[in-house]
Amino acid sequence: MMMFSSKACRSVLFLLSLSLGGASVSDAKRPKVELLSAGNYVILTKSGISTVPTSAITGNIAVSPIAGEAMTGFSTTLDAGGQFSTSSQLTGQAFAANYAIPTPASLTTAVSAMEAAYTNAAGRLNSDAARTNMNSGTLGGNFGGAAAPLTPGVYTFGSGVHIADTIYFQGTGPGQGQGDTDVFIIQSTGVLSQAANTRVELTGGALAKNIFWQIAGNVAVGAGAHLKGILLVKTDVLFTTGSSLNGRVLAQTACNLQMATITEPSE
């Protein structure tokens, strides 16, 4: 049997890397942030969900460990089995920690998954200086606009992020295994704000379910603005009048809606 020295093995691996075009782990498709059971909800919070009617929500919503009374403005009706409630503003079901079993245990698991997803997204490495504190956190125009879209990878901001104008996330193509598997992660130690009547648009096959906003502060979406992606938020989220989201709100305090439209992303 032929034996190879460790030096020879290293040489073989080096030549193999060249044959693959010099690709490294950092160049490969990044794995998405796994939501696990937190992904069963379009809105999941720990301290409450409020709506100024009429909002329109497609998907399930939940609060835990706080009780169902923390879902305000929905005029919910409890199901006969006591495991969930319904609302005319909700195409889906509402769940709370004080509902009948197995709801409490399911929500405890989902909240843990939400917290783990936040930590996972915050821990993703960014070795690209061009994606660190881009334009001091102001996105739009030459920094995310139509002529300079955001491409897959991790973007890191040591302060707040402000979407000042319409921005674009551009995937690597419309084919299967291209843009539909591209992952975008925006990390911020501050807040996320979006100016009124601005939009987040997707091109090149990029999908809302693969855009992750990891925000240590709060999130405020301006009137008439449209946001896309999964909001992993340490504090609270506000959608002002006429604003909308294609994605999920996974907030570790509260979510407040003012005649807003929230739609879970297609899988």
Side-chain angles (χ1 to χ4, degrees), residues 214-227:
Q214 179 266 312
I215 308 298
N218 58 24
V219 173
V221 180
H226 179 65
L227 183 60

Side-chain angles (χ1 to χ4, degrees), residues 176-193:
Q176 186 175 3
Q178 294 182 307
D180 61 337
T181 58
D182 289 330
V183 173
F184 307 78
I185 299 175
I186 298 86
Q187 303 168 328
S188 172
T189 60
V191 303
L192 169 65
S193 60

Side-chain angles (χ1 to χ4, degrees), residues 34-130:
E34 294 293 345
L35 302 180
L36 302 178
S37 64
N40 294 334
Y41 307 94
V42 67
I43 305 176
L44 174 63
T45 78
K46 296 169 71 172
S47 63
I49 305 170
S50 71
T51 175
V52 176
T54 301
S55 294
I57 305 168
T58 301
N60 297 326
I61 66 174
V63 293
S64 180
I66 203 165
E69 288 74 16
M71 294 185 288
T72 62
F74 290 97
S75 300
T76 56
T77 300
L78 190 63
D79 175 70
Q83 296 179 0
F84 65 89
S85 59
T86 58
S87 167
S88 61
Q89 298 177 67
L90 178 62
T91 303
Q93 299 171 338
F95 299 86
N98 63 329
Y99 285 4
I101 58 174
T103 299
S106 297
L107 292 182
T108 297
T109 301
V111 167
S112 293
M114 169 177 72
E115 294 169 340
Y118 176 91
T119 301
N120 182 291
R124 296 295 182 96
L125 296 179
N126 175 12
S127 58
D128 186 350

